[in-house]
């Protein structure tokens, strides 16, 4: 199978980083864990709703119900924990859905270039992702992860890099075009 002229130009273009990998559920789990526990947007999203619930419970206790403080504290703690667990379960469900979509493509070939990312699967489908689609990025020892405020992720395993230069090129593009979190 031969590449057409446009595909060959993209592969040979300077500054293009190439990755070929099979999506793994562990990659998506690592990305979610890192996002939720070690980034400001992840922590804010995890703690904002439970914090608002706790504040509302204290307000209700003080103004309306005149309940015993112990009851309010116990209810607030239980509510905050429940909301945190629900939020994480929702994020995990979304990540599993994203993984299943990528895994259905088979082996993915992703190029990172000046105009964004292109991922093509063995199923023949190709997606073009502009830089504006994911304003933030972070890195783990195994992954590059692009994300945004809605909690969608693009997980790019480093194991799929064609060379160490491709890792450096991708890191350079991410640093130029996105905000590191």
């Amino acid at each position: 199978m031969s590449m057409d002229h446009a595909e060959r130009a993209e592969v040979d273009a300077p500054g293009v980083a190439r990755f070929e990998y099979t999506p793994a559920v562990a990659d998506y789990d690592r990305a979610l864990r890192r996002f939720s526990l070690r980034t400001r947007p992840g922590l804010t999203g995890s703690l904002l709703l439970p914090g608002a619930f706790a504040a509302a419970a204290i307000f209700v206790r003080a103004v309306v119900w005149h309940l015993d403080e112990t009851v309010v504290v116990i209810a607030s703690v239980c509510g905050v924990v429940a909301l945190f667990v629900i939020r994480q379960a929702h994020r995990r469900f979304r990540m599993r859905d994203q993984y299943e979509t990528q895994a259905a493509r088979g082996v993915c070939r992703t190029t990172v270039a000046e105009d964004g990312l292109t991922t093509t699967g063995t199923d023949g489908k190709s997606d073009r992702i502009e830089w504006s689609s994911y304003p933030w990025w972070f890195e783990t020892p195994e992954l590059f992860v692009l994300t945004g405020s809605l909690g969608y992720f693009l997980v790019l395993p480093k194991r799929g890099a064609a060379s160490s230069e491709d890792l450096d090129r991708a890191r350079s593009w991410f640093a130029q075009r996105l905000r590191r979190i």
Side-chain angles (χ1 to χ4, degrees), residues 12-105:
D12 295 336
V16 173
R18 293 177 306 283
F19 294 80
E20 187 170 320
Y21 56 93
T22 301
V25 72
D27 294 336
Y28 287 79
D29 287 341
R30 280 189 207 105
L32 177 61
R33 190 174 319 113
R34 168 67 164 71
F35 176 78
S36 297
L37 299 176
R38 297 189 60 203
T39 68
R40 180 172 296 200
L43 287 169
T44 301
S46 295
L47 300 177
L48 187 60
L49 187 61
F53 180 80
I58 292 168
F59 176 76
V60 167
R61 188 263 178 234
V63 175
V64 179
W65 290 344
H66 302 288
L67 293 175
D68 180 31
E69 292 168 359
T70 306
V71 172
V72 172
V73 169
I74 291 171
S76 296
V77 168
C78 290
V80 167
V81 169
L83 286 173
F84 180 77
V85 168
I86 290 168
R87 175 74 173 171
Q88 281 304 102
H90 180 261
R91 283 181 174 169
R92 183 165 300 284
F93 174 77
R94 185 179 285 166
M95 287 295 281
R96 292 293 171 138
D97 185 51
Q98 291 176 45
Y99 160 72
E100 289 170 5
T101 299
Q102 290 295 355
R105 306 179 103 185

Side-chain angles (χ1 to χ4, degrees), residues 115-169:
D115 56 349
L117 293 88
T118 303
T119 299
T120 305
T122 52
D123 64 357
K125 294 180 182 174
S126 183
D127 286 330
R128 183 90 189 118
I129 300 163
E130 295 181 12
W131 291 113
S132 60
S133 298
Y134 295 100
W136 304 322
W137 77 287
F138 62 89
E139 182 176 1
T140 72
E142 304 91 12
L143 308 168
F144 291 117
V145 182
L146 283 63
T147 188
S149 60
L150 297 177
Y152 289 100
F153 294 81
L154 180 110
V155 177
L156 190 59
K158 292 179 180 178
R159 68 179 176 276
S163 68
S164 62
E165 289 81 19
D166 285 321
L167 293 173
D168 293 336
R169 280 188 217 111

